């Protein structure tokens, strides 16, 4: 296959395993870590290495995996039958050019750093194969790195094929390696499956390369999390905690206060200003931007939102798909739904839901209201229990509220309605028609007192 860059880096990601220990209808590599599928992490890392080509070898649940990740530049290759890691890599060989360097990664090993992989790849040449290895206190289950008396790597022996003496070796094969494509192709086409598991082992290429006079160089990761694979949900949860801890530490070092880093979850990307303070049990999802001095109370969820400078978000708010201007105050217990824009110094109080609405500067919706499909001007005061009745059972309708409007408590606004600037609406009104500006409008049954009325008494 023709190449633009004769020395290009290509990445083959193995993701065909069934992941039966997850006990899930969802393919293992689609289970999420930090809100992103396991394979998504590996693809992100691959892109950050500027790989010329990324080949994903998929099998179980393949179509679901392709659809979920939607990565048009990735080459998807099916391994219909899982005959071993060597057989899996072989499926990717036709997509490589002989001079390419190939890095082998795994869809269920999500946290390998680009930095570690760069170090590994930099050691590959025509005469060297680079292997990522690690020393583990408990190496059981892993392939072991066998070295000769000169400490040169001679082969990898799988746990199930190892002798007792080999099992006591603590240096393990992470599975991640980098090698020239020509050498990889030659070795893989010669591997056999005459081993304990009857599989074509990728690891057999080590001894074959040594036989050809290639030297095996090793690198180790900066942290053990980088090489941890996920096989079951217990491991997934443990890796999630570790990942969250790392993210929390990075945020704190960059100047964000977290009252308890163990009770903070970031499932996506956060861009935070200076002196942001975050209380316990806050979950940030998707793309979140927090301005300077933002304060977030306990039990708040923010998803895909941009929060301006000096905003105070009190406890138990849920904010999604919104843009909140500077110096706004939200909550406690506010729900701000997608396509909401609050300009500056807006107050959204307890048990208020706002959906697909723009709220002008200085306006207040302090208690128990629903505002949807609305445009609210500046310095508007919306009293407790006000409802924009935006839905007639079939269609949504718009409410427009001008600047300086005062709406009394317990008002229903049956949209579509326009309320002119400076209007006052009496409490308890049901507004069905447009309201003129600067006047008092109300719809209220006149108050009556029945003179001499007597409360019924028990017989
Ligand atoms: C493999 C290594 C072992 C290493 C360990 C690290 C081999 C023979 N052994 O063992 O030395 O210590 O990883 O975790 O390589 N896969 C496919 N198609 C297949 C088989 C596997 O795509 O036909 C994928 C799996 O989805 C998985 C990865 O390859 O992501 C590793 O396969 P697995 O069967 O878990 O290998 P191990 O026995 O753990
Ligand atoms: Ca494994």
């Amino acid at each position: 296959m023709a190449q633009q860059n004769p020395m290009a880096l290509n990445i083959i990601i193995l993701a065909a395993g069934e992941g039966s220990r997850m006990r899930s209808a969802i393919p293992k590599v689609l289970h999420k870590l930090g809100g992103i599928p396991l394979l998504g992490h590996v693809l992100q890392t691959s892109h950050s290495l500027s790989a010329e080509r990324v080949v994903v070898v998929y099998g179980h649940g393949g179509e679901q995996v392709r659809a979920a990740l939607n990565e048009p530049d990735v080459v998807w290759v099916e391994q219909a039958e899982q005959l071993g890691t060597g057989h899996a890599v072989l499926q990717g060989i036709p997509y490589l050019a002989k001079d390419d360097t190939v890095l082998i990664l795994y869809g269920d090993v999500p946290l390998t750093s680009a930095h570690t992989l760069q170090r590994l790849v930099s050691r590959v040449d025509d005469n060297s194969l680079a292997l990522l290895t690690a020393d583990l206190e408990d190496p059981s289950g892993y392939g072991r790195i066998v070295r000769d008396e000169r400490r040169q790597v001679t082969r990898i022996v799988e746990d199930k094929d190892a002798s007792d003496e080999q099992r006591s070796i603590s240096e393990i094969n992470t599975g991640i390696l980098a090698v020239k494509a020509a050498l990889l192709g030659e070795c893989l086409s010669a591997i056999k499956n005459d081993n304990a598991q009857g599989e074509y082992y990728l690891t057999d290429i080590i001894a074959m390369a040594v036989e050809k006079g290639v030297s095996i160089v090793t690198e180790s990761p900066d942290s053990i999390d980088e090489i941890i694979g996920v096989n079951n949900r217990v491991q997934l949860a443990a890796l999630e905690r570790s990942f969250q801890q790392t993210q929390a530490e990075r945020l704190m070092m960059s100047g964000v206060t977290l009252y308890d880093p163990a009770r903070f979850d970031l499932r996506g990307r956060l861009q935070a200003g200076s002196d942001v303070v975050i209380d316990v049990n806050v979950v940030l999802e998707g793309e979140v931007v927090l301005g300077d001095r933002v304060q977030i109370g306990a039990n708040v969820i923010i998803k895909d939102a941009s929060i301006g400078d000096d905003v105070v978000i009190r406890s138990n708010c849920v904010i999604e798909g919104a843009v909140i201007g500077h110096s706004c105050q939200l909550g406690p217990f506010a729900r701000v739904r997608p396509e909401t824009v609050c300009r500056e110094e807006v107050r959204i109080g307890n048990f208020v839901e706002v959906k697909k609405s723009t709220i002008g500067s200085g306006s207040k919706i302090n208690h128990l209201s629903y505002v949807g499909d609305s445009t609210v001007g500046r310095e508007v005061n919306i009293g407790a229990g006000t409802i924009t009745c935006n839905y007639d059972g079939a269609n949504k309708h718009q409410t427009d509220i001008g600047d300086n409007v005062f709406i009394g408590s317990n008002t229903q606004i049956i949209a579509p309605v326009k309320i002119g600037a400076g209007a006052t609406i009496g409490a308890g009104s049901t507004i069905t028609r447009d309201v003129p500006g600067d006047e008092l409008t109300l719809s209220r049954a006149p108050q009556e007192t029945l003179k001499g009325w007597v409360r019924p008494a028990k017989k």
Side-chain angles (χ1 to χ4, degrees):
M1 192 168 290
Q3 287 281 302
Q4 289 155 324
N5 176 357
M7 303 287 277
L9 173 64
N10 286 245
I11 295 177
I12 297 179
I13 303 172
L14 303 194
E18 199 178 349
S20 54
R21 282 171 285 172
M22 295 299 284
R23 299 190 176 278
S24 176
I26 302 161
K28 173 161 77 172
V29 295
L30 289 186
H31 281 261
K32 287 179 180 171
L33 182 95
I36 296 170
L38 294 173
L39 179 55
H41 284 272
V42 186
L43 287 168
Q44 270 182 15
T45 310
S46 301
H47 298 322
S48 77
L49 290 169
S50 322
E52 167 101 12
R53 185 173 287 110
V54 177
V55 179
V56 177
V57 180
Y58 70 93
H60 186 77
E63 284 316 312
Q64 216 179 323
V65 173
R66 286 175 72 150
L69 289 157
N70 184 31
E71 292 251 356
D73 296 334
V74 162
V75 180
W76 297 88
V77 186
E78 189 177 8
Q79 185 197 20
E81 242 188 313
Q82 277 81 69
L83 302 179
T85 49
H87 179 260
V89 173
L90 194 57
Q91 311 309 306
I93 295 289
Y95 301 91
L96 311 177
K98 282 201 179 340
D99 287 332
D100 291 344
T101 295
V102 190
L103 174 64
I104 314 277
L105 300 176
Y106 299 83
D108 56 1
V109 181
L111 297 183
T112 323
S113 76
H115 175 248
T116 294
L117 295 173
Q118 249 147 10
R119 249 189 301 135
L120 189 74
V121 166
S122 73
R123 301 202 57 193
V124 175
D125 58 36
D126 287 335
N127 301 309
S128 320
L129 180 157
L131 204 55
L132 191 68
T133 73
D135 270 302
L136 294 187
E137 242 167 72
D138 176 13
S140 56
Y142 288 92
R144 307 299 205 285
I145 307 298
V146 180
R147 292 177 185 264
D148 64 16
E149 57 290 346
R150 291 177 303 123
R151 300 285 305 142
Q152 298 297 306
V153 175
T154 57
R155 59 182 292 220
I156 294 173
V157 60
E158 288 306 299
D159 188 76
K160 291 199 173 94
D161 300 289
S163 64
D164 286 347
E165 193 190 337
Q166 286 167 332
R167 284 208 180 94
S168 70
I169 298 171
S170 63
E171 189 184 8
I172 62 97
N173 172 35
T174 66
I176 295 169
L177 61 87
V179 59
K180 283 289 178 189
L183 176 65
L184 179 65
E186 273 170 45
C187 294
L188 282 181
S189 53
I191 56 171
K192 300 200 172 64
N193 64 351
D194 52 352
N195 51 53
Q197 303 186 78
E199 285 181 11
Y200 294 94
Y201 289 165
L202 172 63
T203 44
D204 282 354
I205 71 166
I206 303 303
M208 296 164 110
V210 169
E211 194 80 355
K212 290 176 192 287
V214 171
S215 57
I216 311 299
V217 296
T218 58
E219 284 284 338
S220 49
D222 298 327
S223 124
I224 290 300
D225 280 352
E226 292 192 46
I227 60 148
I228 300 279
V230 171
N231 292 312
N232 60 44
R233 295 182 204 238
V234 174
Q235 290 170 342
L236 180 61
L239 201 58
E240 175 78 30
R241 281 306 100 212
S242 174
F243 176 69
Q244 291 297 347
Q245 181 71 22
T246 305
Q247 291 193 127
E249 281 167 15
R250 197 184 314 130
L251 279 175
M252 291 188 289
M253 294 313 281
S254 75
V256 172
T257 294
L258 297 177
Y259 283 170
D260 183 356
R263 285 181 287 171
F264 167 77
D265 281 50
L266 171 58
R267 301 176 192 151
R269 256 195 300 262
L270 171 63
Q271 186 190 316
S274 63
D275 292 310
V276 166
V277 176
I278 298 179
D279 207 331
V280 300
N281 295 329
V282 169
V283 178
L284 305 182
E285 291 180 65
E287 302 280 335
V288 175
V289 177
L290 302 176
D292 295 336
R293 298 169 300 278
V294 168
Q295 296 176 44
I296 304 178
N299 310 317
V300 166
I301 299 174
I302 304 177
K303 183 176 184 187
D304 296 320
S306 172
I307 312 292
D309 295 345
D310 300 296
V311 168
V312 177
I313 300 172
R314 301 202 172 82
S315 62
N316 300 294
C317 289
V318 179
I319 299 164
E320 181 178 355
V323 177
I324 309 295
H326 74 75
S327 310
C328 289
Q329 299 197 29
L330 309 185
F333 295 97
R335 177 163 185 222
V336 179
R337 292 172 52 198
E339 294 182 62
T340 292
V341 176
C342 292
R343 309 280 190 213
E344 309 77 39
E345 297 180 40
V346 168
R347 286 173 183 241
I348 308 286
N350 40 245
F351 308 108
V352 171
E353 176 179 345
V354 182
K355 185 216 92 173
K356 204 175 181 181
S357 295
T358 297
I359 315 295
S361 307
S363 291
K364 299 185 175 83
I365 314 170
N366 274 336
H367 333 266
L368 299 153
S369 291
Y370 172 64
V371 174
D373 301 309
S374 300
T375 306
V376 177
R378 306 163 67 94
E379 305 293 338
V380 169
N381 195 315
I382 295 185
T386 296
I387 310 284
T388 56
C389 306
N390 59 330
Y391 187 50
D392 59 15
N395 296 298
K396 300 279 168 65
H397 301 281
Q398 197 69 23
T399 299
D400 284 305
I401 301 174
D403 295 344
N404 290 302
V405 165
F406 181 98
I407 299 178
S409 297
N410 191 27
T411 294
Q412 298 85 253
I413 301 166
I414 316 292
V417 161
K418 285 188 167 62
I419 299 175
T424 301
I425 293 179
S429 296
T430 300
I431 300 298
T432 54
R433 283 171 283 132
D434 288 357
V435 170
D438 299 313
E439 310 271 9
L440 171 64
T441 299
L442 73 171
S443 79
R444 191 188 285 167
Q447 182 168 324
E448 253 184 292
T449 302
L450 301 186
K451 282 260 158 63
W453 179 82
V454 178
R455 204 184 278 176
K458 262 203 173 126
K459 286 193 178 116

